Amino acid sequence: MATAVRALWWRGGALHLVDQRALPGRIRILRLRRVQPVAAAIRSLAVRGAPALGVAGAYGMVLAAAEGGYTPARAARFLAATRPTARDLFVGIERVRAAWAAGADPLAAAEAYRAEVVAECRAIGVAGAGLLARAPRVLTHCNAGALATVEWGTALAPIRAAREAGTPVFVWVDETRPLLQGGRLTAWELAREGIPHAVIADNAAGHFLQRGEVDCVLVGADRIARNGDVANKIGTYEKAVLARAHRRPFYVAAPWSTFDPDRSDGSGIVIEERDGAELRRLGGRRLVPDASAVRNPAFDVTPARLVTAFVTPDGVVPPGRIAGALRRHRRRAGPTPI
Amino acid sequence: MATAVRALWWRGGALHLVDQRALPGRIRILRLRRVQPVAAAIRSLAVRGAPALGVAGAYGMVLAAAEGGYTPARAARFLAATRPTARDLFVGIERVRAAWAAGADPLAAAEAYRAEVVAECRAIGVAGAGLLARAPRVLTHCNAGALATVEWGTALAPIRAAREAGTPVFVWVDETRPLLQGGRLTAWELAREGIPHAVIADNAAGHFLQRGEVDCVLVGADRIARNGDVANKIGTYEKAVLARAHRRPFYVAAPWSTFDPDRSDGSGIVIEERDGAELRRLGGRRLVPDASAVRNPAFDVTPARLVTAFVTPDGVVPPGRIAGALRRHRRRAGPTPI
């Protein structure tokens, strides 16, 4: 069983990526045979989304090993320097680095990691589908779909699973400025699968919550601290505050690779500040005067107190119990947990 | 005394407008000599902003009177059918209709209305400057500047006045999707006058509030009910909820023409839903798949309980006292109050 959309796959010694910068206008596939263009694809957001970054990083390590000229540690440092916030990127790289350094097959390690991510996303879907039976009109932010995770998605997995189960889901899609991953990518995934949805300006989410047309908010994550603080796409925090103000549940769906056991809370999470050009121009149009300053943080941190529950591969877990669930997962997963 | 930026002016029997659709890339002046293109300019947002719409509507009536073929009532109906939410539009039209119907000079009535709007905006600046001395890092949404009001602005008037008084103001400018009036217009006004500012995605306002980098929120309005409920650009409500969550004051600056004495609260205010094309494409780029639905409300309603105070031409007034202040203004202003 697979979803209609996949972010990336391995074939013939090459990493194949759907170039997410070109969507929804064009479906362009990148075939990458060296580690350098994998790093460039990550940096330029041709591939993005925390779980997908982890798998892309893992395959990037495979290419570095085949290419020669890299030690496992050097290849890992090179790929890890691309983006700072999503934890999964570092987990995927580390999985293959450890296998490579131990003399095991890097490709087998990357394939195993990819399979785990897909399986975890599927499990997130099963775990979260029941929540949507009681709250079928879902607001989501950014893209936490198949494009962000290889298949299924994190936030979109329960939506897909609920739909399969016959729940009449409806998805409010924040367009998600500046890079419009909601309007361009989430809407594209939902349209391909015929799931009813409407794209709105990020500014309109509060209005539809106020009108009682949103039952819950469901998002993905880039990094989650032990206490349940969540780093995710800029604007997530605003939606969490709005959900609370309207007494609507705010759910965060993520595989275990997104949870950071080394971080007690969100205060130290590095927030990437991206180039102001992302706000200044679009499609050849100037949107901001050249004389104006621009600030462009790519992520924000939502405090655990605003999270109703996490949707994990092991079930729905409230923030107060997430540290324990993470410990249990890591004991079960053994020496190289994701 | 005048600001460096003006939205519109009358010269040689024509209404001159800065075409706000072309900013900040190009400064294009429209010269309109008939009422039909004035209506088209209003509908297409070549001119926008509640007080500026009122003045444009007033001059549109002058052109209709000069053109012949219209009764005062028919011209008023024609111009009033352009946009539903901003109250000022109807006030400006009605001022000239009444003068014209009574045999008075329509142009003199329009000029008097324009002068009142400018004087009220200047008074709003004086009234609000003191608030910013205690809260100099201001977040604003949309454009409530000279472009929205002829001169000075509503929300930008206290910012200009505080700056003149030596307050080190800094303005966080929400880009304001979908039409980017913040990034395109507010930033352009502030850049022309050298007022320090930074444009941010609407999604980032919560992040900077959370980091303690915003002292207050200050916006304009399109229509204000007697109880203090405020209709303004979509996204205003989100910022009001965020300001409250962070215990920061939320101020609404408006001339008396924006206050609607006939509306007890915000529940019945007509919210214009504009064409989804505003979200679907920009600068030749497709931003949303054609198969996706789009919802595009242009305004939202912020309940009075989230408003710290109104900045009016008669001073700073808390929501609980705004109905009384409006009554006093109308008694003072006489039979055709704005």
Side-chain angles (χ1 to χ4, degrees):
Chain A
M1 196 141 100
T3 45
V5 175
R6 269 194 307 169
L8 55 84
W9 57 96
W10 180 266
R11 197 169 61 215
L15 173 59
H16 294 62
L17 295 175
V18 177
D19 185 345
Q20 302 191 29
R21 299 164 302 184
L23 291 173
R26 217 144 48 91
I27 300 177
R28 183 167 60 200
I29 309 299
L30 305 179
R31 284 173 191 75
L32 311 179
R33 297 178 178 278
R34 301 176 69 87
V35 64
Q36 175 78 51
V38 173
I42 291 172
R43 209 177 272 115
S44 68
L45 309 192
V47 58
R48 31 64 52 201
L53 286 174
V55 179
Y59 284 121
M61 290 294 289
V62 174
L63 291 170
E67 213 173 311
Y70 288 93
T71 63
R74 205 183 130 230
R77 275 197 306 276
F78 174 68
L79 279 164
T82 49
R83 297 194 67 197
T85 305
R87 177 168 186 269
D88 313 65
L89 173 62
F90 307 105
V91 174
I93 292 168
E94 172 56 20
R95 269 293 193 88
V96 180
R97 188 207 62 76
W100 178 5
D105 177 18
L107 179 57
E111 293 280 62
Y113 183 71
R114 183 197 58 77
E116 278 176 40
V117 168
V118 172
E120 289 207 357
C121 287
R122 182 65 181 137
I124 287 168
V126 172
L131 299 173
L132 304 190
R134 297 186 296 276
R137 297 171 304 170
V138 186
L139 172 72
T140 192
H141 191 69
C142 197
N143 172 264
L147 290 169
T149 63
V150 187
E151 290 182 28
W152 298 108
T154 51
L156 294 198
I159 289 168
R160 289 181 157 111
R163 167 105 169 150
E164 281 176 16
T167 300
V169 288
F170 179 87
V171 188
W172 294 101
V173 180
D174 275 355
E175 65 167 2
T176 317
R177 282 284 286 158
L179 292 177
L180 303 159
Q181 294 93 335
R184 293 192 303 108
L185 307 180
T186 297
W188 184 75
E189 287 194 34
L190 295 172
R192 275 176 80 102
E193 301 187 12
I195 299 174
H197 65 285
V199 176
I200 57 174
D202 304 299
N203 281 325
H207 175 70
F208 289 109
L209 273 158
Q210 190 186 37
R211 298 218 157 180
E213 299 186 41
V214 178
D215 299 319
C216 72
V217 180
L218 172 57
V219 299
D222 285 85
R223 191 183 286 254
I224 302 168
R226 280 205 309 276
N227 74 336
D229 288 353
V230 177
N232 191 43
K233 179 56 53 200
I234 191 76
T236 301
Y237 171 64
E238 296 195 356
K239 304 318 156 191
V241 169
L242 286 158
R244 175 60 52 93
H246 290 279
R247 299 164 199 263
R248 291 286 175 273
F250 180 84
Y251 300 120
V252 177
W256 290 116
S257 48
T258 305
F259 290 86
D260 188 345
D262 300 328
R263 210 164 283 280
S264 60
D265 64 40
S267 60
I269 296 176
V270 177
I271 300 296
E272 179 180 10
E273 177 123 5
R274 292 185 61 86
D275 194 325
E278 293 180 353
L279 281 151
R280 289 185 183 281
R281 282 175 186 278
L282 187 63
R285 263 199 78 183
R286 201 200 306 177
L287 309 183
V288 173
D290 289 340
S292 295
V294 164
R295 291 290 303 276
N296 185 24
F299 303 95
D300 58 27
V301 175
T302 298
R305 68 181 163 75
L306 296 178
V307 178
T308 308
F310 293 96
V311 188
T312 79
D314 295 340
V316 176
V317 182
R321 297 204 194 141
I322 200 65
L326 178 57
R327 269 197 308 275
R328 283 191 296 280
H329 164 74
R330 290 171 65 80
R331 271 203 302 273
R332 205 171 53 239
T336 58
I338 64 172
Chain B
M1 195 141 102
T3 45
V5 174
R6 270 194 306 170
L8 56 83
W9 56 96
W10 179 265
R11 197 168 61 214
L15 172 59
H16 293 62
L17 294 176
V18 176
D19 185 344
Q20 301 191 29
R21 299 164 301 184
L23 290 174
R26 217 143 50 91
I27 300 177
R28 182 167 59 201
I29 308 299
L30 305 178
R31 285 173 192 76
L32 310 178
R33 297 178 178 280
R34 301 175 70 88
V35 64
Q36 176 77 51
V38 173
I42 292 172
R43 209 175 275 115
S44 67
L45 310 193
V47 59
R48 30 63 54 201
L53 286 174
V55 178
Y59 284 121
M61 291 293 290
V62 174
L63 290 169
E67 213 173 310
Y70 289 94
T71 62
R74 204 183 131 231
R77 275 198 306 276
F78 174 68
L79 280 164
T82 48
R83 298 194 66 198
T85 306
R87 177 169 186 268
D88 313 65
L89 173 63
F90 308 104
V91 175
I93 292 168
E94 172 56 21
R95 268 295 192 86
V96 179
R97 188 209 61 77
W100 177 5
D105 178 18
L107 180 57
E111 292 280 63
Y113 183 71
R114 183 196 58 77
E116 278 175 40
V117 168
V118 172
E120 288 208 357
C121 287
R122 182 67 182 136
I124 286 168
V126 172
L131 299 173
L132 303 191
R134 296 186 296 276
R137 296 172 305 170
V138 186
L139 173 72
T140 191
H141 191 69
C142 197
N143 173 264
L147 290 168
T149 64
V150 187
E151 291 180 28
W152 300 106
T154 51
L156 294 197
I159 288 168
R160 289 181 156 110
R163 167 105 168 149
E164 280 176 14
T167 300
V169 287
F170 179 86
V171 187
W172 293 102
V173 180
D174 274 355
E175 65 168 0
T176 317
R177 283 285 287 160
L179 292 177
L180 302 159
Q181 295 94 334
R184 294 191 304 108
L185 308 179
T186 297
W188 183 76
E189 288 194 34
L190 295 172
R192 275 177 81 103
E193 300 187 13
I195 298 174
H197 65 285
V199 176
I200 57 175
D202 304 300
N203 281 325
H207 174 71
F208 289 109
L209 273 158
Q210 190 186 37
R211 298 217 156 181
E213 299 186 41
V214 178
D215 299 319
C216 72
V217 181
L218 173 57
V219 299
D222 285 86
R223 190 182 288 254
I224 302 167
R226 280 206 310 277
N227 74 336
D229 288 352
V230 177
N232 191 44
K233 178 56 53 199
I234 190 75
T236 302
Y237 171 64
E238 296 195 356
K239 304 316 155 192
V241 169
L242 286 159
R244 175 60 52 92
H246 290 280
R247 299 163 198 265
R248 291 285 174 272
F250 180 84
Y251 300 119
V252 178
W256 289 115
S257 48
T258 305
F259 290 86
D260 187 344
D262 300 327
R263 210 164 283 280
S264 60
D265 63 41
S267 60
I269 295 176
V270 177
I271 299 296
E272 180 181 9
E273 177 123 6
R274 292 184 61 86
D275 195 324
E278 294 180 350
L279 280 152
R280 288 184 184 281
R281 283 177 186 274
L282 187 62
R285 264 197 78 182
R286 201 201 305 177
L287 309 184
V288 174
D290 289 341
S292 296
V294 164
R295 291 289 304 274
N296 185 24
F299 303 95
D300 58 28
V301 175
T302 298
R305 68 181 162 77
L306 296 178
V307 178
T308 308
F310 292 97
V311 188
T312 80
D314 296 340
V316 177
V317 183
R321 297 205 192 139
I322 200 65
L326 178 58
R327 271 197 307 276
R328 284 191 296 282
H329 163 74
R330 291 172 63 81
R331 271 202 302 274
R332 207 171 52 239
T336 59
I338 64 172

